[in-house]
Amino acid sequence: MNIGLFGGTFDPVHRGHVALARAAMERCKLHRVYFVPANSPPHKQKQPLTAFAHRFAMLALATANEKAFAPSLLEAPEEGESRKKDKPNYTIDTVRRLKQSFKGSDQLFLLIGMDAFAEIAKWHQAESLFRECEFIVAGRPGFSLADVANALPEKLRPRPEVTKPFQKQVATGDLVLPGVSLHLVEDLHQPASATAIRQAASSGKPLGRFVEPAIAEYIKKMGLYK
Ligand code: ATP
């Protein structure tokens, strides 16, 4: 089976996330996509986040109508522990944990947007991550094929003279290099961002453009992002 792992803060999950998962599913014939909310995202250690339980509940609503989508507790807080005391959730650990349940022919794909992929070289054990799984990267306007290659961890990155001719080429197709297998999904034209949603909710603006009705309703009922 082809299995996708889509990690994020999902505070809240929005149409951009779902569009990415759908496009990735089609692109790489995924049989299952796990949406994995991080209890303690390494790059947001100082930022206040909505409680894990709310972020998970919204993911459960967002994935309910798609058979292949499932919310995951792989990065859930340990029982009785608060986020502050928790270790950051490193994707490499989550990937290894998930792969323990894999059968011989299962293949893991990591789903990620280009803005997050631009920072991938700084991730914990980034090179190992490329050994453990294939990547599906969703493009954003203005990102070229050269940008994708230049974002790779140093040891996996092609030399600048190799990537230079691709500086203006839209990121599309596959990028296969020694130690790297990466599939590109073209820009999804989904401008939603969780930051914009939190701001809209805090000023009482409608959220229907950004999130499914069930999630807009949940945010309202629970009084999130006030
Ligand atoms: P925030 O605004 O709080 O930083 P976010 O909307 O970027 O949040 P995250 O949970 O941080 O959401 O993102 C999880 C993943 O989804 C990342 O890989 C990110 O690149 C991708 N992503 C986020 N928004 C979009 C979008 N509109 N279209 C495609 N991918 C997206």
Side-chain angles (χ1 to χ4, degrees), residues 12 50-59 61 207 211-225:
T50 305
F52 179 90
H54 285 310
R55 293 185 284 123
F56 183 85
M58 291 188 278
L59 273 172
L61 292 170
L207 304 180
V211 298
E212 293 294 325
I215 292 163
E217 195 53 41
Y218 184 91
I219 290 172
K220 205 166 143 196
K221 261 189 213 161
M222 296 297 167
L224 303 183
Y225 311 121

Short mmCIF file of all heavy atoms in Angstrom, two decimals, residues 12 50-59 61 207 211-225:
data_model
loop_
_atom_site.label_atom_id
_atom_site.label_comp_id
_atom_site.label_asym_id
_atom_site.label_seq_id
_atom_site.Cartn_x
_atom_site.Cartn_y
_atom_site.Cartn_z
N PRO A 12 -6.44 26.04 12.68
CA PRO A 12 -7.12 24.77 12.42
C PRO A 12 -6.75 24.20 11.04
O PRO A 12 -6.10 24.86 10.24
CB PRO A 12 -8.60 25.21 12.36
CG PRO A 12 -8.52 26.57 11.69
CD PRO A 12 -7.24 27.19 12.16
N THR A 50 -3.68 26.12 20.09
CA THR A 50 -4.95 25.59 20.58
C THR A 50 -4.70 24.17 21.11
O THR A 50 -3.85 23.45 20.56
CB THR A 50 -5.96 25.57 19.42
OG1 THR A 50 -6.02 26.88 18.89
CG2 THR A 50 -7.33 25.12 19.85
N ALA A 51 -5.45 23.78 22.14
CA ALA A 51 -5.26 22.46 22.75
C ALA A 51 -5.27 21.36 21.68
O ALA A 51 -6.06 21.43 20.72
CB ALA A 51 -6.34 22.21 23.78
N PHE A 52 -4.43 20.37 21.88
CA PHE A 52 -4.33 19.25 20.93
C PHE A 52 -5.71 18.64 20.66
O PHE A 52 -6.04 18.33 19.52
CB PHE A 52 -3.36 18.19 21.49
CG PHE A 52 -3.21 17.00 20.59
CD1 PHE A 52 -2.22 16.99 19.61
CD2 PHE A 52 -4.05 15.90 20.70
CE1 PHE A 52 -2.09 15.91 18.75
CE2 PHE A 52 -3.93 14.82 19.84
CZ PHE A 52 -2.94 14.82 18.86
N ALA A 53 -6.50 18.48 21.71
CA ALA A 53 -7.81 17.81 21.56
C ALA A 53 -8.70 18.55 20.56
O ALA A 53 -9.40 17.93 19.77
CB ALA A 53 -8.50 17.73 22.92
N HIS A 54 -8.68 19.89 20.58
CA HIS A 54 -9.49 20.66 19.62
C HIS A 54 -8.94 20.49 18.21
O HIS A 54 -9.70 20.33 17.25
CB HIS A 54 -9.49 22.15 19.98
CG HIS A 54 -10.35 22.49 21.15
ND1 HIS A 54 -11.64 22.06 21.26
CD2 HIS A 54 -10.10 23.24 22.26
CE1 HIS A 54 -12.16 22.53 22.38
NE2 HIS A 54 -11.23 23.23 23.01
N ARG A 55 -7.62 20.56 18.06
CA ARG A 55 -7.03 20.45 16.72
C ARG A 55 -7.33 19.06 16.15
O ARG A 55 -7.61 18.90 14.96
CB ARG A 55 -5.53 20.75 16.78
CG ARG A 55 -5.25 22.22 17.13
CD ARG A 55 -3.78 22.59 17.09
NE ARG A 55 -3.02 22.13 18.22
CZ ARG A 55 -1.96 21.35 18.17
NH1 ARG A 55 -1.52 20.92 17.00
NH2 ARG A 55 -1.33 20.97 19.26
N PHE A 56 -7.27 18.05 17.02
CA PHE A 56 -7.57 16.68 16.57
C PHE A 56 -9.05 16.54 16.20
O PHE A 56 -9.39 15.94 15.17
CB PHE A 56 -7.20 15.67 17.67
CG PHE A 56 -7.41 14.25 17.24
CD1 PHE A 56 -6.43 13.58 16.54
CD2 PHE A 56 -8.61 13.59 17.50
CE1 PHE A 56 -6.62 12.27 16.10
CE2 PHE A 56 -8.82 12.29 17.07
CZ PHE A 56 -7.81 11.62 16.37
N ALA A 57 -9.91 17.14 17.01
CA ALA A 57 -11.36 17.04 16.74
C ALA A 57 -11.69 17.66 15.39
O ALA A 57 -12.49 17.11 14.61
CB ALA A 57 -12.15 17.74 17.85
N MET A 58 -11.07 18.80 15.08
CA MET A 58 -11.33 19.45 13.79
C MET A 58 -10.82 18.59 12.63
O MET A 58 -11.45 18.51 11.57
CB MET A 58 -10.73 20.86 13.77
CG MET A 58 -11.47 21.80 14.72
SD MET A 58 -10.94 23.52 14.58
CE MET A 58 -9.47 23.53 15.58
N LEU A 59 -9.69 17.91 12.86
CA LEU A 59 -9.18 16.99 11.82
C LEU A 59 -10.12 15.81 11.63
O LEU A 59 -10.30 15.34 10.49
CB LEU A 59 -7.79 16.48 12.22
CG LEU A 59 -6.63 17.37 11.79
CD1 LEU A 59 -5.33 16.88 12.40
CD2 LEU A 59 -6.50 17.42 10.27
N LEU A 61 -13.30 15.90 11.91
CA LEU A 61 -14.41 16.41 11.09
C LEU A 61 -13.97 16.56 9.62
O LEU A 61 -14.69 16.19 8.71
CB LEU A 61 -14.88 17.77 11.62
CG LEU A 61 -15.56 17.77 12.98
CD1 LEU A 61 -15.75 19.21 13.49
CD2 LEU A 61 -16.92 17.06 12.91
N LEU A 207 -16.02 32.22 8.13
CA LEU A 207 -14.85 31.38 7.84
C LEU A 207 -15.08 30.44 6.66
O LEU A 207 -14.18 29.67 6.30
CB LEU A 207 -14.50 30.54 9.08
CG LEU A 207 -14.25 31.32 10.37
CD1 LEU A 207 -13.92 30.37 11.51
CD2 LEU A 207 -13.10 32.31 10.18
N VAL A 211 -12.69 27.10 5.51
CA VAL A 211 -12.88 25.79 6.17
C VAL A 211 -14.26 25.22 5.84
O VAL A 211 -15.18 25.96 5.49
CB VAL A 211 -12.73 25.89 7.72
CG1 VAL A 211 -11.35 26.34 8.12
CG2 VAL A 211 -13.79 26.81 8.33
N GLU A 212 -14.38 23.92 6.00
CA GLU A 212 -15.67 23.24 5.80
C GLU A 212 -16.67 23.76 6.84
O GLU A 212 -16.27 24.11 7.96
CB GLU A 212 -15.49 21.73 6.04
CG GLU A 212 -14.63 21.03 5.02
CD GLU A 212 -15.25 21.02 3.64
OE1 GLU A 212 -16.49 20.91 3.57
OE2 GLU A 212 -14.51 21.16 2.66
N PRO A 213 -17.98 23.74 6.49
CA PRO A 213 -18.99 24.24 7.43
C PRO A 213 -18.90 23.59 8.82
O PRO A 213 -19.04 24.26 9.84
CB PRO A 213 -20.32 23.90 6.75
CG PRO A 213 -19.99 23.78 5.30
CD PRO A 213 -18.56 23.34 5.20
N ALA A 214 -18.64 22.29 8.86
CA ALA A 214 -18.60 21.59 10.16
C ALA A 214 -17.49 22.17 11.05
O ALA A 214 -17.63 22.25 12.28
CB ALA A 214 -18.38 20.10 9.96
N ILE A 215 -16.41 22.59 10.42
CA ILE A 215 -15.29 23.13 11.20
C ILE A 215 -15.57 24.56 11.64
O ILE A 215 -15.29 24.94 12.78
CB ILE A 215 -13.98 22.98 10.41
CG1 ILE A 215 -13.68 21.49 10.30
CG2 ILE A 215 -12.82 23.72 11.09
CD1 ILE A 215 -12.72 21.13 9.27
N ALA A 216 -16.19 25.33 10.72
CA ALA A 216 -16.57 26.70 11.10
C ALA A 216 -17.52 26.64 12.30
O ALA A 216 -17.40 27.42 13.26
CB ALA A 216 -17.24 27.39 9.92
N GLU A 217 -18.42 25.68 12.28
CA GLU A 217 -19.40 25.51 13.35
C GLU A 217 -18.70 25.11 14.66
O GLU A 217 -19.03 25.61 15.73
CB GLU A 217 -20.41 24.42 12.91
CG GLU A 217 -21.69 24.33 13.71
CD GLU A 217 -22.42 25.66 13.81
OE1 GLU A 217 -22.48 26.40 12.81
OE2 GLU A 217 -22.93 25.96 14.93
N TYR A 218 -17.74 24.21 14.54
CA TYR A 218 -17.00 23.75 15.73
C TYR A 218 -16.25 24.93 16.37
O TYR A 218 -16.30 25.11 17.59
CB TYR A 218 -16.01 22.64 15.32
CG TYR A 218 -15.27 22.04 16.50
CD1 TYR A 218 -15.77 20.94 17.18
CD2 TYR A 218 -14.06 22.59 16.94
CE1 TYR A 218 -15.09 20.39 18.27
CE2 TYR A 218 -13.37 22.05 18.02
CZ TYR A 218 -13.89 20.95 18.68
OH TYR A 218 -13.22 20.42 19.76
N ILE A 219 -15.61 25.74 15.52
CA ILE A 219 -14.85 26.89 16.03
C ILE A 219 -15.79 27.83 16.79
O ILE A 219 -15.46 28.31 17.88
CB ILE A 219 -14.14 27.62 14.85
CG1 ILE A 219 -13.01 26.73 14.30
CG2 ILE A 219 -13.58 28.99 15.28
CD1 ILE A 219 -12.35 27.22 13.03
N LYS A 220 -16.97 28.02 16.22
CA LYS A 220 -17.95 28.92 16.82
C LYS A 220 -18.44 28.35 18.16
O LYS A 220 -18.44 29.02 19.19
CB LYS A 220 -19.13 29.06 15.85
CG LYS A 220 -19.90 30.34 16.01
CD LYS A 220 -20.80 30.54 14.81
CE LYS A 220 -22.11 31.15 15.25
NZ LYS A 220 -23.14 31.03 14.22
N LYS A 221 -18.85 27.07 18.12
CA LYS A 221 -19.41 26.42 19.32
C LYS A 221 -18.43 26.42 20.48
O LYS A 221 -18.80 26.60 21.63
CB LYS A 221 -19.71 24.95 18.99
CG LYS A 221 -21.13 24.66 18.67
CD LYS A 221 -21.31 23.16 18.60
CE LYS A 221 -22.34 22.79 17.59
NZ LYS A 221 -22.24 21.39 17.17
N MET A 222 -17.16 26.15 20.17
CA MET A 222 -16.15 26.03 21.22
C MET A 222 -15.52 27.37 21.58
O MET A 222 -14.68 27.44 22.47
CB MET A 222 -15.04 25.06 20.77
CG MET A 222 -15.53 23.66 20.55
SD MET A 222 -16.14 23.00 22.12
CE MET A 222 -17.00 21.57 21.56
N GLY A 223 -15.89 28.39 20.83
CA GLY A 223 -15.34 29.72 21.11
C GLY A 223 -13.83 29.78 20.89
O GLY A 223 -13.12 30.49 21.63
N LEU A 224 -13.35 29.08 19.86
CA LEU A 224 -11.90 29.09 19.60
C LEU A 224 -11.47 30.41 18.93
O LEU A 224 -12.27 31.03 18.26
CB LEU A 224 -11.51 27.91 18.69
CG LEU A 224 -11.86 26.51 19.17
CD1 LEU A 224 -11.33 25.46 18.19
CD2 LEU A 224 -11.30 26.24 20.56
N TYR A 225 -10.24 30.77 19.12
CA TYR A 225 -9.59 31.91 18.46
C TYR A 225 -10.21 33.25 18.81
O TYR A 225 -10.20 34.18 18.01
CB TYR A 225 -9.54 31.72 16.93
CG TYR A 225 -9.03 30.35 16.53
CD1 TYR A 225 -9.82 29.46 15.77
CD2 TYR A 225 -7.77 29.91 16.94
CE1 TYR A 225 -9.35 28.21 15.42
CE2 TYR A 225 -7.30 28.65 16.60
CZ TYR A 225 -8.11 27.80 15.85
OH TYR A 225 -7.64 26.56 15.51
#
